[in-house]
Amino acid sequence: MLSPALCELTTTDDLRALARASLTRCGVDIDALAGAGSSTITARTPITGEDLFDFPAADAADVERAVDAAHEAYLRWRTVPAPVRGGLIKRLGELLAEHKADVAHLIGIEVGKISAEALGEVQEMIDICDFAVGLSRQLGGRTMPSERPGHRLMETWHPMGVVGVISAFNFPAAVWSWNLAIAIVCGDTVVWKPSQLTTLTAAACSALFDRAAREVGAPENLNITVPASGADSQALIDSRKVPLISATGSERMGAEVAPRIAARFGRAILELGGNNAAIVAPSADLDLATRGIVFSAAGTAGQRCTTLRRVIVHEDIAEELISRILKAYSGLPIGDPMSESTLVGPLINAGAFADMSAALEQARAEGGTVLIGGQRREGPAGAFYAEPAVVRMPRQSDIVRAETFAPILYVMTYATLAEAIEIHNDVPQGLSSAIFTLDQREAEQFIAADGSDCGLANVNIGTSGAEIGGAFGGEKTTGGGRESGSDSWKAYMRRATNTINYSAELPLAQGVSFS
Ligand code: UN1
C-alpha cells in the first residue's frame, strides 16, 4: 500500500550533473573513467532510484596488485618519521574542509543522506584528521622499571603493514577516514574496498588523498582504492601481506571473514551489527528524551549502525513518551534529501524496504502493534521512501533481537531498572546504548560493570552521533573492534618490548642462575 505522494524530487539529470561537477572539483574525471576497464559497477542514486554512471570495477587481479603495491609503499613509509606522516593527514584535512560540500553532495546522491548529515559525515572526517595529526606526535610507548640492575625495560610501537579497509554504504567516507588517518600516521598503508553502492564518494575521497600525498611529496600508493565485488576482494581477506583488516558491515559478513583472517593469524577490527536501545526512566526529561530518540531512530532513515532500534520505557511514563514520539513522527518531513526541509531521505534500495516490510510483518506475528509508519511513499518505481515506524511490543521477541537496517523502533516497557537492563542486554549485538534519567544512581548503574554491555553507553543522549575522540565499536556480535579516537591506534601498530642491558653483568630475570 502506498501512502501520500512525495514532493517533487531533484531529477536524475540534475543529480548526475551535480555528481559530475563535485567529482571534477575533487579531481575525478568521471567521463574519462566511464567505459574504462572491462567490467563495471553502475553508480546509482536512491533519491530517484536511477543509474548515474558506469564506473570501472576492480577485479581479483587488481586487488592482488593493489596489495603488492601498498606493501611496497609500506616498506618506505614505515621509516618516515611519524610527525612527517602527520603532515600528509594535515593536508588531507585541509582539502576535505575545502571540498566539504563536494564530498557531502556525493554522499547525499549515493546514500540519500540529508545534507546536514552528509556535511556532518565530512566534518567527522576533518575531525579525525585533526586527531590523527596530533596523534602523530604522541605514538609513545611506556618505560617500566626493570627488575634487574643496569637494565631498562620499555616498549616501542611500530607500523604493521597494509591495512585492508572494507566499508559499508551508510558511512561511505567517514569510516574510511577513521581507519586511513590513523593507519597513515601509524606508518601503515591502506587498500580500501568501498561498498559497491558508493563508488563515486570513494573515488572523490581517494582523489583528495592522492592530491594531498602529491602536494606534500609523500610516496605513491599509500592508499589504493579497489571498487571490487565481495568475490573479487578475497585476496584482501586472505593475504598475509595484509596484517590487519578493518571491516564494517553485517554480522553475516563478519562471521564469514573473521575465521579466515584468524586462520592466517591476521588481526581484525570488526564493526558489525547494532541493536541499540535506550532506557527511559521515570525521572527522564521527556522533551530531551523524545528529541534524542527521534534523531537516533528516524535520522539517516534508520541506516546507521548506531541507529536506535529499541526503547525500553518505564511503565508509568510509557503512554506519555509514546504519544510524544508519535507526535514527532507524524510531522517528520520525508522526501528529497537534497531539499533543506527534509529530515528523512530514502532507503538505500528495494532490498532495504523489503527487509523493513518483512520485519514489520514478523513483529505483528510476534504480538506487536504498529503504531505509526511502515508505508512506502508514492514516488518513482526504483526509489524507496519509507515512513519511519514505531511498533509497540509486549516483550522482547525474535524480530526485536535482530538488526533490521531500516527505521523501525520497537517500544517495550519495564517495571524495575534491573529488568530494563536485562531486556537491554538480551540481544546478540553490543554496539551502542543510552539511558535517559535525571537520577544519578540510575545513570551510574547503567554504565557500571553490570549495566549496559555495549561498547558505547550514553546518558541523556541518543545512541547515534558519537564523536571521533572516543574509541568507537562494540561487543558480542558487533565484533569487538575499536576504531577512531582514544587509544584505538594501538590496533594499527605492533608493539615491541625492549630490554636493554647497560651494565657489564648478565643477571637473568626471575633470579635464574645458569653458570
Ligand atoms: C556507522 O553507522 O557505521 O556514531 C557509523 C555515529 C557516527 C558513526 C556511525 N559517528 O552515529
Side-chain angles (χ1 to χ4, degrees):
M1 199 203 341
L2 292 174
S3 59
L6 292 164
C7 292
E8 209 173 316
L9 299 169
T10 312
T11 66
T12 304
D13 281 344
D14 285 348
L15 293 170
R16 201 179 281 119
L18 181 60
R20 180 182 277 112
S22 304
L23 284 163
T24 306
R25 284 191 290 269
C26 292
V28 181
D29 180 351
I30 188 68
D31 299 310
L33 282 176
S38 50
S39 63
T40 54
I41 296 170
T42 303
R44 144 186 197 282
T45 177
I47 297 175
T48 59
E50 288 176 341
D51 294 346
L52 298 172
F53 305 104
D54 280 342
F55 195 90
D59 60 19
D62 294 326
V63 175
E64 270 180 48
R65 271 194 296 274
V67 168
D68 287 342
H71 178 73
E72 287 302 312
Y74 154 72
L75 297 178
R76 290 179 62 193
W77 190 238
R78 65 181 171 179
T79 61
V80 172
V84 177
R85 300 194 295 244
L88 166 55
I89 296 304
K90 182 166 184 225
R91 185 65 193 130
L92 175 64
E94 289 166 359
L95 288 176
L96 285 167
E98 199 180 305
H99 293 279
K100 188 170 178 181
D102 295 326
V103 179
H105 281 143
L106 292 165
I107 296 171
I109 292 167
E110 284 194 301
V111 183
K113 262 186 210 192
I114 61 169
S115 70
E117 291 194 57
L119 287 165
E121 175 163 359
V122 187
Q123 186 57 46
E124 193 161 349
M125 304 173 80
I126 298 166
D127 293 344
I128 195 71
C129 287
D130 279 354
F131 181 92
V133 174
L135 183 65
S136 71
R137 291 186 181 268
Q138 300 179 72
L139 298 168
R142 302 168 45 158
T143 301
M144 287 73 59
S146 168
E147 66 188 53
R148 288 170 278 189
H151 282 59
R152 184 149 67 92
L153 183 59
M154 61 172 217
E155 61 187 23
T156 39
W157 290 86
H158 298 296
M160 241 176 14
V162 180
V163 179
V165 177
I166 298 173
S167 61
F169 81 86
N170 66 327
F171 271 79
V175 169
W176 166 71
S177 71
W178 296 348
N179 286 283
L180 170 108
I182 303 293
I184 290 293
V185 300
C186 287
D188 301 326
T189 58
V190 170
V191 174
W192 178 23
K193 187 211 127 20
S195 160
Q196 290 198 290
L197 301 169
T198 54
T199 47
L200 304 181
T201 306
C205 292
S206 351
L208 291 175
F209 178 83
D210 289 347
R211 181 171 150 204
R214 278 195 307 278
E215 287 180 6
V216 302
E220 288 187 328
N221 296 332
L222 298 182
N223 172 76
I224 305 180
T225 301
V226 286
S229 66
D232 280 339
S233 22
Q234 299 306 307
L236 205 52
I237 310 293
D238 294 326
S239 173
R240 285 176 192 272
K241 281 188 182 162
V242 184
L244 172 65
I245 297 282
S246 176
T248 303
S250 65
E251 291 161 80
R252 195 162 46 88
M253 179 275 288
E256 200 225 303
V257 304
R260 284 173 45 191
I261 299 166
R264 63 172 175 86
F265 299 99
R267 284 193 208 167
I269 296 176
L270 298 176
E271 210 263 274
L272 311 172
N275 193 350
N276 317 299
I279 293 174
V280 186
S283 70
D285 173 338
L286 285 188
D287 182 45
L288 182 143
T290 306
R291 283 187 287 137
I293 287 168
V294 174
F295 171 69
S296 282
T300 334
Q303 300 171 112
R304 288 194 193 212
C305 53
T306 50
T307 290
L308 179 66
R309 308 206 179 277
R310 301 178 292 140
V311 163
I312 305 158
V313 54
H314 191 274
E315 55 198 15
D316 290 352
I317 53 160
E319 296 318 316
E320 171 66 15
L321 181 75
I322 290 170
S323 83
R324 286 179 187 233
I325 295 174
L326 294 182
K327 184 161 175 255
Y329 266 53
S330 62
L332 276 177
I334 302 168
D336 190 343
M338 304 313 259
S339 153
E340 286 300 323
S341 55
T342 298
L343 289 181
V344 180
L347 292 177
I348 189 71
N349 54 27
F353 185 69
D355 289 348
M356 180 173 179
S357 306
L360 290 174
E361 201 47 52
Q362 189 177 337
R364 284 193 193 93
E366 291 176 1
T369 308
V370 179
L371 301 177
I372 195 169
Q375 310 292 338
R376 179 182 171 198
R377 287 276 163 101
E378 192 183 327
F384 293 82
Y385 290 81
E387 291 174 353
V390 177
V391 186
R392 178 121 193 207
M393 295 301 291
R395 71 195 100 73
Q396 189 101 305
S397 68
D398 288 348
I399 193 62
V400 178
R401 288 193 184 87
E403 180 195 43
T404 303
F405 220 59
I408 301 176
L409 182 64
Y410 300 109
V411 182
M412 292 164 286
T413 55
Y414 76 90
T416 64
L417 185 60
E419 183 197 346
I421 291 175
E422 195 185 314
I423 299 170
H424 178 278
N425 291 346
D426 179 25
V427 294
Q429 310 82 355
L431 180 57
S432 188
S433 60
I435 189 168
F436 288 92
T437 179
L438 298 182
D439 178 332
Q440 192 181 359
R441 286 183 180 159
E442 288 187 333
E444 294 287 340
Q445 229 170 307
F446 181 69
I447 60 170
D450 53 354
S452 160
D453 61 3
C454 292
L456 309 168
N458 299 333
V459 177
N460 290 327
I461 65 163
T463 53
S464 63
E467 302 175 19
I468 58 91
F472 183 90
E475 305 303 329
K476 304 195 291 185
T477 63
T478 302
R482 291 296 185 279
E483 296 168 290
S484 197
S486 185
D487 64 352
S488 306
W489 62 271
K490 290 180 175 170
Y492 298 77
M493 299 194 89
R494 65 183 176 85
R495 180 197 326 235
T497 300
N498 314 122
T499 310
I500 299 152
N501 177 6
Y502 58 92
S503 75
E505 307 296 323
L506 192 65
L508 300 178
Q510 297 88 42
V512 171
S513 156
F514 199 75
S515 56

